Amino acid sequence: MLEDLESRGLVQDTTDRDLLARRLGDGSVGVYHGIDPTASSLHLGNLIGVLVLRRFQEAGHRPIALVGGATGMVGDPSGRSDERNLLDDETLAVNLAGIRSQLETLLDFDGDAELVNNYDWTRDLTLIEFLRDTGKHATVNQMAAKHSVRSRMESETGISFTEFTYMLLQAYDYWWLHTNLQCELQIGGSDQWGNITAGVDLIRRRSGAQVHGLTWPLLTRSDGAKFGKTAEGAIWLDPERTSPYRFHQYFIQVPDEDVERSLLQFTMLPVAEIAEVVEAHQRDPGRREAQGILANEVTSLVHGRPAATAAEKAARILFGSPVDDMDEAALEAIAAEVPTSDIPDGGFDAASNRFDLVELLASTGLASSKGDARRGLAEGSVYVNNQRVSGEDTAVAADSLLHDRYLLLRRGKRRYHLLRVESQ
């Protein structure tokens, strides 16, 4: 298990590599990864950790996904230059519900995976009890020496006492999970190393037990940008925030320099199979087959295989491929990406069983006027279902509807409008 993670570039620090390897080889281990519910959806940065949990589960270990209902109220200073906004109960409840539903698609909770919320064991914890049983085992010197705390202390904004205590709260989580759920390994991104080792130390001092920590490098692209971020913002797992098509396209556009690492870390494909994909890709990078496999695999994990297939087909349509054999799922994927409307009044002539294309172009905004529509037709820049329309042909037969419902109009290379007919 550990060798597989290392071969994928998913190990940066471990508390004791050899001891951890022996323990993983001895039998099932409880492995915990925490997620703060700062939004109602996970994003690509979270996906790495959830997939590492999945890798552990598939290797016979017991994943524990912790959603931080309590720590989300405090805010983790790790990797941040300013303090997070504290979340109220109502916002937390919405965020927790959204995250739970996504975790359930990625981990097998019908098996031995567990989903926990640290609010359940901290809400009744008194300050005196926390200081007596947890605070006394950590020195301020040790806490201030952690990079996540030290960097904030040296910044202009400083660090609040609230955020300063976050490390102890996370350490307490690890102790509680070890005591109650026999958890022996905490995993996280490299910015969590200080918090993880604080938990390891707390368990050793309170219980005398040997537990472990493991982190992976924070993922950035070859150009230094944060992976999972675009000019429009984060890439979310929630299809309402980032559509499956856009999610799929994000991975299609991964640079060649990043595709191998992305395949290793974002897919469940075996390392040997990935090596074959990369070798084939290097022989003909222009075909971008590695990116296609990457996009299909990750989209399938998050949204399901049908959504990945629909996104792939939608991309082919929007890049000019014929649409005659496209299914409704692909067309609905397009509907989420381009302007879409019902056939306007007067657009369908029941007597002739034809559509007035000039009228449609003008009413959908693909032409500024009927005159502009006629000019577009004359120039040959108008397409119906990705087929160029003759300049003299201003009518489209109703049997051109795809699946008796859809008509895809295009002006030029990239201006699309999808029409849907609810009834004829």
Side-chain angles (χ1 to χ4, degrees):
M1 179 66 212
L2 196 55
E3 288 176 357
D4 181 73
L5 291 176
E6 288 171 334
S7 67
R8 294 176 184 273
L10 287 171
V11 177
Q12 176 158 318
D13 293 301
T14 59
T15 42
D16 187 318
R17 196 268 182 209
D18 293 338
L19 201 60
L20 174 58
R22 287 199 297 272
R23 177 62 191 92
L24 291 172
D26 287 341
S28 179
V29 172
V31 184
Y32 127 66
H33 175 55
I35 301 168
D36 275 343
T38 51
S40 61
S41 171
L42 301 174
H43 52 72
L44 277 188
N46 302 129
L47 184 58
I48 289 285
V50 179
L51 290 182
V52 173
L53 279 181
R54 179 166 172 156
R55 297 181 204 282
F56 273 104
Q57 184 170 32
E58 292 189 355
H61 301 288
R62 183 167 49 88
I64 303 169
L66 182 150
V67 181
T71 41
M73 293 181 176
V74 176
D76 182 2
S78 303
R80 293 183 61 86
S81 60
D82 55 4
E83 187 163 355
R84 297 180 189 271
N85 293 326
L86 304 187
L87 303 177
D88 57 49
D89 290 345
E90 184 178 352
T91 302
L92 272 172
V94 171
N95 293 355
L96 287 168
I99 290 171
R100 279 195 187 98
S101 66
Q102 293 168 353
L103 288 173
E104 287 167 356
T105 68
L106 294 164
L107 299 172
D108 181 12
F109 291 101
D110 292 329
D112 54 3
E114 297 191 57
L115 180 60
V116 297
N117 178 355
N118 61 11
Y119 186 67
D120 293 340
W121 59 80
T122 55
R123 62 186 168 196
D124 297 324
L125 181 66
T126 67
L127 177 61
I128 296 299
E129 181 184 358
F130 182 71
L131 293 176
R132 181 192 64 201
D133 296 335
T134 301
K136 74 174 186 177
H137 293 292
T139 69
V140 171
N141 307 60
Q142 289 175 313
M143 295 173 68
K146 305 294 186 182
H147 174 73
S148 59
V149 172
R150 187 177 67 253
S151 61
R152 284 289 299 280
M153 290 178 66
E154 295 171 353
S155 69
E156 291 183 5
T157 57
I159 184 171
S160 70
F161 178 75
T162 300
E163 283 194 309
F164 185 69
T165 62
Y166 183 96
M167 182 183 296
L168 292 182
L169 284 172
Q170 186 166 320
Y172 181 81
D173 286 343
Y174 197 177
W175 175 85
W176 192 95
L177 291 171
H178 173 70
T179 302
N180 294 276
L181 297 180
Q182 295 73 54
C183 178
E184 298 178 61
L185 172 62
Q186 183 182 0
I187 60 174
S190 58
D191 61 339
Q192 292 296 309
W193 182 242
N195 295 336
I196 291 174
T197 55
V200 171
D201 289 340
L202 177 63
I203 293 168
R204 176 177 53 81
R205 291 175 179 180
R206 286 193 67 172
S207 309
Q210 173 75 57
V211 295
H212 306 276
L214 178 150
T215 66
W216 51 83
L218 293 181
L219 189 59
T220 57
R221 297 189 321 209
S222 54
D223 60 5
K226 193 168 184 179
F227 205 93
K229 293 282 189 179
T230 68
E232 293 76 32
I235 301 297
W236 300 97
L237 274 57
D238 183 348
E240 297 299 319
R241 290 187 176 217
T242 301
S243 71
Y245 172 81
R246 292 183 184 272
F247 189 90
H248 188 272
Q249 281 294 299
Y250 180 84
F251 286 98
I252 286 289
Q253 295 164 14
V254 164
D256 289 341
E257 297 81 4
D258 297 326
V259 71
E260 180 176 15
R261 182 174 54 163
S262 299
L263 281 163
L264 288 166
Q265 297 182 353
F266 281 107
T267 79
M268 303 301 292
L269 296 174
V271 172
E273 184 176 337
I274 291 171
E276 293 175 1
V277 170
V278 172
E279 184 180 353
H281 173 78
Q282 290 172 342
R283 289 196 295 267
D284 189 0
R287 296 183 63 184
R288 300 183 71 79
E289 285 191 13
Q291 282 89 343
I293 292 171
L294 170 66
N296 288 338
E297 289 294 320
V298 186
T299 308
S300 296
L301 280 171
V302 174
H303 297 295
R305 185 67 66 178
T309 302
E312 184 181 21
K313 290 179 178 179
R316 293 207 300 268
I317 294 172
L318 293 178
F319 283 90
S321 294
V323 300
D324 295 343
D325 62 342
M326 293 300 172
D327 54 31
E328 288 194 62
L331 292 164
E332 284 299 323
I334 289 173
E337 305 304 323
V338 304
T340 302
S341 61
D342 293 334
I343 295 289
D345 291 339
F348 173 59
D349 184 345
S352 64
N353 209 35
R354 298 170 76 82
F355 297 97
D356 183 344
L357 187 53
V358 170
E359 180 75 28
L360 292 179
L361 291 170
S363 64
T364 57
L366 290 177
S368 59
S369 64
K370 291 184 179 181
D372 183 38
R374 293 188 182 94
R375 283 192 293 275
L377 287 164
E379 294 166 355
S381 63
V382 174
Y383 298 76
V384 174
N385 296 338
N386 278 349
Q387 297 294 321
R388 192 191 302 270
V389 179
S390 166
E392 298 178 355
D393 193 357
T394 62
V396 179
D399 60 11
S400 297
L401 289 174
L402 304 168
H403 300 284
D404 298 320
R405 186 183 180 198
Y406 302 92
L407 195 69
L408 184 64
L409 303 180
R410 186 175 112 213
R411 179 86 181 268
K413 291 184 176 181
R414 291 288 180 266
R415 293 180 60 198
Y416 282 93
H417 195 105
L418 182 66
L419 292 166
R420 289 185 292 204
V421 178
E422 296 300 330
S423 61
Q424 296 189 54

